[in-house]
Amino acid sequence: MSPKQATPCAQAATAEAERETEVARNPNCTIRSTANQTACLVQIYPANAGLGRRHRLDQPAALGRDVDCEIPVDDASVSRYHARVVPRDGDYYVTDLRSTNGTFVNDGRALLRRLADGDYVRVGNHIFRFLAGGNIEADYHEEIFRLTITDALTAIHNKRHLLDFLERELTRTARHHRPLALLLFDIDHFKAINDTHGHLAGDAVLRALATRLRGETRRDELFARYGGEEFAVVLPETDLEGAVRLAERLRKLVAVHPFEHNGKSLPITISLGATATGAGETFSVEQFLAQADEKLYQAKQQGRNRVVASDGEPAEAGNQTSAKAKGNWV
């Protein structure tokens, strides 16, 4: 007898599982689909009551603080009439309405821009994703799944996915006696950036830092936002020496080129803590994170802009000029 063919339901379940697996591996991937439906904007940031809400674009839609806007955005960083999305001849265009803080598409300022499927539209502190692929319903549910594992501001993995990944890797490490390393780092004096230049500048620095460092990790490693201005890198099959080498490379990549926001140069440095499993050692997720966090704290104490590894000694000192404000580790 010939083998049974999969039922349509089983095929659909397999296809959905494949979609979710690909998104989990790469939160920036775009999976195309095939049926025609009305395009929409989906709010992906911030994580407030509007997170995941779908705004249909079957007619022109204004975004802004005013209650008459088709897509109301109640945030001081957004103008009363901030931007408008207009369907035209099968395409969709976003127009800035002379807003105070500008309208951005994929982090590029947009006065008038044709939108493509998967584009990110930012007005003030709010980010929307434009969906116009064939099967809007499937794309929408894919986007909701993406929101569960991805930090929308930086487009890298979020804390939830980090903890799940770390738990799996610690289990695998203990079972097979393989090395595992962890980096925790944060931006030095980040509060001063927000206080001096505003929260939009702070958000811009977080996005730019994630973009700059994303390409330094391999496919089997995980780069995630741990919270606030703190980030983590999980390194399977890597010992402490290899983790320190990567940490130094990340530190230098951040320090060597200032970040830009609204034409202003913002010099940024990071402090990093590195740890790794040792022979015969087993850790819980909380213990492993606490060990790396302790080294990050020591890096702050010892002057910032440096890496401190599990032996408690700085792997390589960075710029000493930031060794100020003892007792304030932000």
Side-chain angles (χ1 to χ4, degrees):
M1 294 179 62
S2 60
K4 289 184 179 180
Q5 292 185 342
T7 65
C9 288
Q11 291 173 343
T14 299
E16 183 65 20
E18 290 174 350
R19 290 166 68 89
E20 292 193 356
T21 298
E22 181 59 26
V23 174
R25 288 175 177 169
N26 177 11
N28 299 303
C29 72
T30 300
I31 300 176
R32 303 296 176 181
S33 37
T34 55
N36 289 323
Q37 298 181 28
T38 302
C40 63
L41 287 176
V42 180
Q43 180 181 319
I44 65 171
Y45 185 84
N48 56 20
L51 182 69
R53 183 176 179 183
R54 173 169 40 180
H55 302 275
R56 292 170 58 88
L57 299 173
D58 47 3
Q59 60 183 0
L63 296 87
R65 289 201 329 272
D66 197 278
V67 294
D68 290 334
C69 290
E70 288 77 11
I71 304 178
V73 185
D74 186 16
D75 190 294
S77 65
V78 176
S79 298
R80 289 182 63 242
Y81 292 93
H82 196 109
R84 183 182 299 275
V85 179
V86 179
R88 184 186 306 162
D89 300 328
D91 290 321
Y92 293 81
Y93 296 82
V94 62
T95 304
D96 183 74
L97 301 178
R98 298 183 178 180
S99 64
T100 300
N101 291 317
T103 300
F104 296 79
V105 176
N106 301 329
D107 278 338
R109 186 179 286 271
L111 297 179
L112 174 64
R113 179 80 62 86
R114 185 176 70 86
L115 295 174
D117 182 35
D119 278 349
Y120 293 93
V121 178
R122 178 162 55 89
V123 294
N125 195 40
H126 280 60
I127 303 175
F128 298 83
R129 194 162 196 207
F130 176 70
L131 299 180
N135 191 338
I136 298 296
E137 193 66 26
D139 289 345
Y140 172 69
H141 287 291
E142 176 189 310
E143 188 62 32
I144 296 302
F145 171 71
R146 193 192 307 266
L147 287 174
T148 67
I149 64 170
T150 306
D151 175 65
L153 179 65
T154 58
I156 60 176
H157 287 296
N158 62 14
K159 182 177 181 179
R160 171 183 170 178
H161 190 62
L162 166 68
L163 297 179
D164 289 345
F165 184 86
L166 196 52
E167 184 169 17
R168 290 195 302 270
E169 288 302 315
L170 283 168
T171 300
R172 186 188 66 84
T173 294
R175 180 181 299 127
H176 300 291
H177 305 288
R178 304 300 301 168
L180 178 69
L182 173 66
L183 303 179
L184 279 186
F185 66 91
D186 73 5
I187 300 172
D188 296 327
H189 302 295
F190 185 72
K191 184 177 184 298
I193 297 172
N194 282 330
D195 291 345
T196 303
H197 303 283
H199 288 276
L200 289 179
D203 285 353
V205 167
L206 292 171
R207 284 193 301 271
L209 182 141
T211 299
R212 185 178 295 186
L213 301 185
R214 184 185 294 120
E216 298 302 312
T217 56
R218 301 183 304 230
R219 184 176 177 83
D220 62 334
E221 298 168 346
L222 186 79
F223 178 34
R225 186 180 178 194
Y226 187 45
E229 70 273 24
E230 195 166 4
F231 297 82
V233 183
V234 184
L235 304 167
E237 301 295 329
T238 303
D239 59 15
L240 186 61
E241 183 180 353
V244 169
R245 283 198 300 268
L246 175 62
E248 273 300 321
R249 190 161 74 244
L250 299 182
R251 184 189 67 78
K252 292 173 182 176
L253 275 172
V254 172
V256 69
H257 296 299
F259 291 77
E260 299 283 336
H261 178 69
N262 285 346
K264 296 179 181 178
S265 178
L266 303 176
I268 300 296
T269 61
I270 58 175
S271 299
L272 305 94
T275 192
T277 56
E281 288 183 313
T282 58
F283 294 91
S284 68
V285 171
E286 293 77 13
Q287 289 170 333
F288 206 42
L289 285 167
Q291 187 161 295
D293 190 58
E294 179 185 355
K295 304 309 165 187
L296 169 58
Y297 181 78
Q298 290 177 13
K300 295 288 190 183
Q301 284 183 311
Q302 295 175 17
R304 299 182 175 88
N305 188 24
R306 65 189 60 226
V307 178
V308 171
S310 289
D311 59 6
E313 296 299 324
E316 179 179 336
N319 188 342
Q320 298 298 315
T321 59
S322 61
K324 296 179 180 179
K326 291 184 179 180
N328 178 13
W329 312 121
V330 296

